[in-house]
Amino acid sequence: MHITSSYGVEIRKQNVCIRKTMVIYRQAVLYLVRTLDQAWDELSLIADAKKRFNTAEHLVHTTKKNMARYDFDQRFPKMPSYLRRSAIQAALGLISSCHTRAKDGRVVLPEKIYAMPVFYRKVMYADGEPGSDTAKLKLYDGHDWVFREIRLKHTDMEYLRRHWSGQKASAPTLEKKHKKYFLRFTYTEEMRLSEKPADRQRICSIDLGINTDAVCTIMDPDGTILARRFINFPGDKDRIGHVLGRIRRHQRIHGGGCRGLWRYAVRLNEALSIKTAAQIVGFAKEYHADVLVFEFLEMKGRVRGSKKMRLHIWRKRDVQKRCEHMAHRNGIRISRVCAWQTSSLAFDGSGKVVRDPGNHSLCTFTNGKQYNCDLSAAYNIGARYFIREQIKTMPETVRSSLEAKVPAVMRRSSCVYADLLQMRKVTGQAHQTQADDCGLPDEWGYAAHAV
């Protein structure tokens, strides 16, 4: 499996040439969008992407054997060839997108371009001396294209040298974020994910809660709980709540104008997602888990509710996305189960739970037992994964017999941890009967079936 990772290195002491390079590159892309759109009827007939690109380049660039139709070379003299080709590629993508999304045959081209230049190695980018925090970029100084040395942030370069030394990076892309410039390096790795069958896997089931950031459990196929961990960062959430309070007071007095505070709150929320994801994957690695199991969250559609609730839902989505990338880099698979009633049903099969009005992280079962609601949900999430995976591999006759004895396991939206234990008990007895008929020892019953 190919896994792509990227890291942005901050450029220290922002150079005026970097801004000029970004501006002229965007002007070139905008010009190409408007000119190549005039020839789109001709270009759209070419199915092969490489041939379409070559034809578009011949339309705007003059050589000894080709006379360009448009005056791109006169408007942008001495533009490096690799940067020109990057601009053509970006323009073709924008035009194709505009024509695909056209309604009633009316094509609306963008008035502003936000594309960023790519600095191809050797011709536009050169590494600095080994161990130094510098690099050379070919930039536009207002008159000509020249190589300029830039300084990169020391901590970012130390991270790359420590974790990505020896790995081949792609051509860096210029990036502007929070009024700062970055060079984003991309690395591609080949990873082999765990291939253990479901009856030999060890999973880490995760419930992303509200009061606790995440509750994780390590579970075996027979339902044995090997470890539990509560991941919580109360200080970070308190800081987000403090910023939301400032926003609420500011809006009550002034009626708006909190864009900067909202951006700060979103960045704090993102930092909390990064910490939570790192803790989850670290816990899974510690106990050699093969699969991370999450609830399936609706990733599309408008997020409704209060702004505080939106931040929480965004964090849940971001945590799952980051965990997926980090887990794949460590050879761990990702799976998702139905999220319905994982928290509202007790893991022991006693039915609906009642949340504690004073502490929402606690709940009371119908039999009077008090338990942590998020931990109960984590048990149910892991059980639903094993129930689903084990039922998929069963023969139809065994599945029909199981449905008659434990009907709850066939309802994916209501099965709980107790149903997994009951299913294992029933299937274990059936496998033991088969082993007795074959004359096998008692302890070989389930193993014989598994093999």
Side-chain angles (χ1 to χ4, degrees), residues 250-269:
H250 190 281
Q251 289 178 339
R252 186 172 60 246
I253 297 173
H254 302 284
C258 301
R259 183 177 299 178
L261 285 175
W262 272 117
R263 288 176 178 173
Y264 181 49
V266 170
R267 291 199 293 271
L268 289 176
N269 201 47

Side-chain angles (χ1 to χ4, degrees), residues 150-214:
I150 60 170
R151 291 175 54 195
L152 303 174
K153 192 173 182 179
H154 176 71
T155 53
D156 291 339
M157 294 302 295
E158 281 295 314
Y159 174 85
L160 293 183
R161 285 191 283 264
R162 184 181 302 112
H163 297 282
W164 297 98
S165 179
Q167 298 286 341
K168 186 177 180 181
S170 65
T173 303
L174 186 65
E175 182 180 90
K176 187 177 182 182
K177 190 176 182 181
H178 308 314
K179 300 182 180 180
K180 296 180 181 180
Y181 290 98
F182 298 82
L183 279 181
R184 182 157 294 278
F185 296 87
T186 304
Y187 300 86
T188 302
E189 303 172 278
E190 178 68 28
M191 293 298 301
R192 188 181 183 89
L193 302 184
S194 174
E195 297 181 355
K196 290 183 180 179
D199 58 350
R200 297 181 185 177
Q201 288 177 350
R202 176 179 293 180
I203 69 168
C204 176
S205 58
I206 303 104
D207 177 69
L208 301 176
I210 296 178
N211 299 286
T212 306
D213 292 323

